[in-house]
Amino acid sequence: MLTNLFRLAAVGVFLLLAKFALAQSVSLQSIAEAASPPEPATIFVAKEIVTLSPNKPNVTAVAVIGDRVVATGSLAELRAAAGDQKFTVDRTFADKVLVPGLIAQHDHPMLTALTMSSEIIAIETWQMPYGTIPAANNQQEYRARLKEANAKLKDPNAVLFSWGFHQLFHGELSKELLDKVSTTRPIVVIHRSWHETFMNTKALEKLGIDQAFIDALPEAAQKQTDLAKGHFWESGMFAWAPQLLSAITTPQKFHKGLELTQQYMHTNGVTLASEPGGLYSKELQAAENAVLSPPDSPFRYYFIPDGRSIFEAFPDNAVAEVKKTLSWGEGMTSITPNQIKLFADGAVYSQLMQLREPYLDGHHGEWIMQPESFSKAFRTYWDADYQIHIHVNGDAGLDLVLDNLEENMRRKPRHDHRTVLVHIAVSEKDQIDRAKKLGAIFSGNPYYLVMLGDKYSKVGLGAERADNMVRIGDIERAGISYSFHSDMPMAPAQPLFLMHSAVNRKTVSGRVAGPDQRASRMGALKAVTLDAAYSLRLEERVGSIVPGKLANFTVLADNPVTIAPEKIKDIAIWGTVHEGRKLPIQHNNTAASGLGPVPNEATARLLAEAIHGGHRHSSLHPAGHGDICMANRVFGEALGQMK
């Protein structure tokens, strides 16, 4: 029963202090003398509260003291339980639905910040905190928008930095064409993939990019440049990322981009975020902390170190080097201890996944980490009892990962190792069963199927493999924990949209692909709350609305578990409660509430055409593999060098 739970909560806090006191040799009396009267409680009343607690799955009131949930039930039950504990009743959410705070399990704030600080001219409409940016659907619209962007810049010396260009929709781009926009202002255009750039003559002069500069680059980088056209791609761009970044951003602009990223995520109901594979740069972490760490941030951000970079740099001392990063977080940002990120095969967007059966056109996938190097790194972190998050996209890549997991389980068994298999674009049923036996869990991106299913059924994979991408149905039936992620900016960081994608599995054409692989609505909600927390070992703190956990709620206009499945993505978001703080969204947030790109047919074509871009560049830049994490890594290192 709910007998005086508020008093019990206060006792629980006292006992925690006492435990700390014993560990630190501080007297209990000194704590008792310093203890203040219990804080007043707030009882939030809602139309419905989805707790994800098996004991009380649905209630209408939740009591909060400070940053913690202390009780759930009906208002009458909580009034009776309060006794002489002071409390107030908050009816702000009387017509709303509370769900556990939504979790963005895997996003890249640095690249998202750079994107949001640019002049976005893309093939999708973008819904941003400050307004809607319409799509540029063809060459004429793109060039007109670029000229408009140039005209509205008041400072004649300011660089025009634009992101979102794609040649299949916007036509050819070159130094000559950009010079027609301006011969006096530097213009830098970044391809939507973040793997190519175009510049006008003034930008090349500003950065000192001439033939002598190109001749001094490594041979592979020289082959991926076209100075006459002002076009640079893959290593031809990455080789001089610090100079490029000096043109397109400043610490002040990056700071503003991070603020927009923060607002964007809050608007989508996020109360906790993570970046597996956080960058190995103390300076960049400090720049991100400047925005994400203050106590008024609407969510906490957890960074998981990039085990690949650290192992490559310190193969004999990787674990010790990882531990040095733990002090880099502060306030609302943290470097997650005893967790690491590794990489297996290439990216799904560029069809460089390693597959058991050949691609339809006969091309082959790529390894991001060569199998021997992957095995050594896996063993190093396994022996140090790390939880390992692994980027893996193809079924042959998954075989490599599961082989290493089984080998190390036999060699050094570990209970609850919770190895996370990330992305899992292409897999087979036997691998799901094997993963369960080995104790692995999954984090999938259901956006892959929505945007790529139609095209990949015809190009590269064929219908059966394409329709069964991100086979959440088999994972759920097997009883394996799974979470969802967006990998923003590769997909919208919108947890409700990810839920919608997994539950409906409707491709851009409107067909249902792989109906047996649809997630249940309850499973999908857990994938962006409780199971996402579980994947980060935070399930004792967040992920459900139960006594003792942090008071993190996302406030919705409807229940995503009971609403018609096709309406999940359109549920309006009021805002959040984060650790007891009410945080409404600071703009008119209607049914089309999620911010970011609005997927359309053009997006699907773009992502499918990334296949050809990936093949074109990968032979000369094998480290990239068309993967957003490569761009994130390179530009992150460059940003870390900026003053």
Side-chain angles (χ1 to χ4, degrees):
M1 293 180 63
L2 287 169
T3 305
N4 243 353
L5 280 177
F6 299 93
R7 288 186 176 277
L8 291 175
V11 171
V13 173
F14 182 84
L15 290 176
L16 286 174
L17 289 171
K19 181 178 180 181
F20 178 80
L22 290 173
Q24 301 295 322
S25 299
V26 178
S27 72
L28 291 175
Q29 183 176 350
S30 64
I31 291 180
E33 291 173 350
S36 58
E39 291 184 56
T42 300
I43 299 177
F44 293 104
V45 176
K47 179 173 65 176
E48 186 177 2
I49 301 174
V50 183
T51 68
L52 296 184
S53 166
N55 299 322
K56 289 184 176 181
N58 295 90
V59 298
T60 55
V62 54
V64 174
I65 296 179
D67 62 358
R68 300 281 169 169
V69 173
V70 295
T72 63
S74 67
L75 177 58
E77 289 173 324
L78 298 190
R79 282 184 185 275
D84 58 1
Q85 164 71 46
K86 292 182 179 180
F87 66 89
T88 59
V89 176
D90 189 321
R91 299 182 184 273
T92 304
F93 312 133
D95 63 343
K96 301 292 190 293
V97 176
L98 303 186
V99 298
L102 299 177
I103 295 174
Q105 199 264 1
H106 181 151
D107 290 310
H108 299 296
M110 183 272 295
L111 278 185
T112 304
L114 288 176
T115 299
M116 290 195 171
S117 64
S118 73
E119 180 72 30
I120 296 177
I121 309 176
I123 63 172
E124 315 104 326
T125 294
W126 274 68
Q127 295 169 344
M128 300 293 283
Y130 49 80
T132 299
I133 303 173
N137 297 298
N138 52 50
Q139 182 182 83
Q140 182 179 0
E141 290 181 7
Y142 181 83
R143 293 185 181 180
R145 291 273 298 282
L146 203 58
K147 290 178 180 179
E148 290 172 6
N150 176 61
K152 74 180 183 182
L153 282 177
K154 296 179 180 179
D155 182 351
N157 298 313
V159 175
L160 171 54
F161 162 41
S162 178
W163 171 89
F165 168 80
H166 195 283
Q167 70 278 6
L168 294 176
F169 308 95
H170 301 145
E172 291 189 12
L173 198 61
S174 66
K175 177 177 69 175
E176 180 182 359
L177 290 169
L178 292 176
D179 282 345
K180 291 181 179 179
V181 177
S182 178
T183 57
T184 59
R185 179 190 307 285
I187 301 176
V188 178
V189 174
I190 299 288
H191 193 278
R192 193 186 188 284
S193 66
W194 274 98
H195 279 246
E196 301 182 47
T197 187
F198 297 84
M199 299 187 191
N200 69 346
T201 299
K202 193 67 175 179
L204 293 170
E205 291 174 353
K206 177 181 176 66
L207 292 175
I209 307 298
D210 55 18
Q211 191 59 52
F213 180 91
I214 300 299
D215 291 342
L217 294 176
E219 182 179 357
Q222 292 182 39
K223 293 179 180 179
Q224 294 176 320
T225 66
D226 188 337
L227 183 60
K229 290 187 175 182
H231 182 202
F232 308 86
W233 62 94
E234 297 290 2
S235 60
M237 178 178 75
F238 294 154
W240 48 282
Q243 295 97 312
L244 176 58
L245 280 177
S246 71
I248 65 176
T249 195
T250 63
Q252 294 76 23
K253 286 183 68 175
F254 180 64
H255 186 96
K256 179 63 175 177
L258 280 173
E259 290 178 335
L260 286 171
T261 299
Q262 184 182 61
Q263 185 178 355
Y264 160 89
M265 297 181 78
H266 176 232
T267 301
N268 284 296
V270 171
T271 62
L272 185 149
S274 173
E275 183 183 31
L279 297 160
Y280 187 49
S281 167
K282 187 175 183 179
E283 292 77 14
L284 177 59
Q285 187 65 54
E288 292 179 328
N289 289 347
V291 173
L292 302 176
S293 290
D296 60 351
S297 176
F299 49 81
R300 292 188 182 273
Y301 219 117
Y302 292 83
F303 294 86
I304 298 173
D306 175 6
R308 169 200 178 192
S309 296
I310 296 173
F311 183 80
E312 288 176 350
F314 306 97
D316 299 322
N317 203 31
V319 173
E321 292 298 324
V322 170
K323 291 180 179 178
K324 292 179 182 178
T325 70
L326 295 180
S327 63
W328 294 1
E330 59 182 66
M332 300 289 269
T333 64
S334 303
I335 309 301
T336 307
N338 303 314
Q339 296 189 41
I340 206 74
K341 174 80 175 291
L342 293 178
F343 298 81
D345 57 335
V348 61
Y349 289 137
S350 52
Q351 279 202 358
L352 290 174
M353 307 162 283
Q354 290 283 8
L355 300 181
R356 288 175 169 180
E357 299 297 326
Y359 287 93
L360 297 183
D361 63 0
H363 82 271
H364 61 83
E366 299 285 351
W367 296 109
I368 293 180
M369 295 182 73
Q370 292 300 312
E372 182 179 358
S373 177
F374 177 87
S375 296
K376 290 179 180 177
F378 188 100
R379 181 180 181 125
T380 295
Y381 295 120
W382 181 271
D383 285 350
D385 293 326
Y386 272 64
Q387 180 187 5
I388 307 175
H389 301 248
I390 305 168
H391 163 115
V392 56
N393 272 309
D395 49 12
L398 187 51
D399 280 335
L400 170 75
V401 173
L402 295 177
D403 286 347
N404 276 272
L405 178 55
E406 181 171 355
E407 176 186 337
N408 283 277
M409 279 290 285
R410 292 181 182 278
R411 182 183 61 83
K412 183 187 175 185
R414 284 176 50 191
H415 174 68
D416 193 26
H417 56 83
R418 222 176 286 192
T419 300
V420 186
L421 308 175
V422 181
H423 304 321
I424 52 151
V426 177
S427 61
E428 296 296 334
K429 177 64 166 60
D430 67 285
Q431 295 177 308
I432 306 303
D433 297 334
R434 187 182 180 199
K436 180 178 182 179
K437 292 176 182 177
L438 292 171
I441 62 177
F442 291 90
S443 183
N445 187 339
Y447 188 76
Y448 290 163
L449 183 280
V450 172
M451 302 312 304
L452 301 176
D454 290 338
K455 296 296 182 182
Y456 280 21
S457 66
K458 300 174 183 177
V459 180
L461 295 183
E464 183 176 355
R465 285 187 295 189
D467 283 5
N468 285 286
M469 284 196 298
V470 195
R471 53 174 66 239
I472 296 299
D474 283 340
I475 293 171
E476 186 171 330
R477 285 186 289 273
I480 304 173
S481 175
Y482 65 90
S483 59
F484 294 150
H485 66 269
S486 72
D487 209 14
M488 181 73 186
M490 295 308 287
Q494 303 172 15
L496 288 181
F497 177 71
L498 295 176
M499 283 185 64
H500 179 95
S501 299
V503 168
N504 292 286
R505 288 184 70 91
K506 281 190 177 181
T507 65
V508 172
S509 68
R511 72 184 182 92
V512 177
D516 288 345
Q517 300 305 335
R518 286 179 290 196
S520 70
R521 281 174 286 180
M522 180 59 75
L525 178 60
K526 288 182 178 179
V528 293
T529 55
L530 186 55
D531 281 321
Y534 182 82
S535 74
L536 301 170
R537 292 190 180 272
L538 294 172
E539 74 276 11
E540 296 299 322
R541 302 186 63 198
V542 295
S544 58
I545 302 176
V546 298
K549 289 193 179 184
L550 289 170
N552 284 4
F553 320 136
T554 298
V555 185
L556 305 175
D558 215 325
N559 185 340
V561 177
T562 57
I563 196 174
E566 64 273 13
K567 295 182 178 180
I568 293 174
K569 67 179 176 62
D570 297 321
I571 296 174
I573 302 171
W574 177 91
T576 63
V577 174
H578 182 261
E579 299 182 9
R581 300 174 295 150
K582 283 197 304 184
L583 302 174
I585 293 169
Q586 299 299 319
H587 66 80
N588 182 23
N589 191 31
T590 58
S593 59
L595 299 187
V598 180
N600 55 27
E601 182 68 34
T603 312
R605 289 173 56 202
L606 162 67
L607 297 179
E609 292 298 338
I611 304 169
H612 307 296
H615 296 168
R616 179 183 66 210
H617 302 323
S618 63
S619 62
L620 295 177
H621 190 66
H625 313 304
D627 182 54
I628 191 66
C629 291
M630 180 62 190
N632 190 59
R633 178 184 179 187
V634 171
F635 284 108
E637 291 172 352
L639 268 172
Q641 299 172 24
M642 292 184 67
K643 301 298 184 182

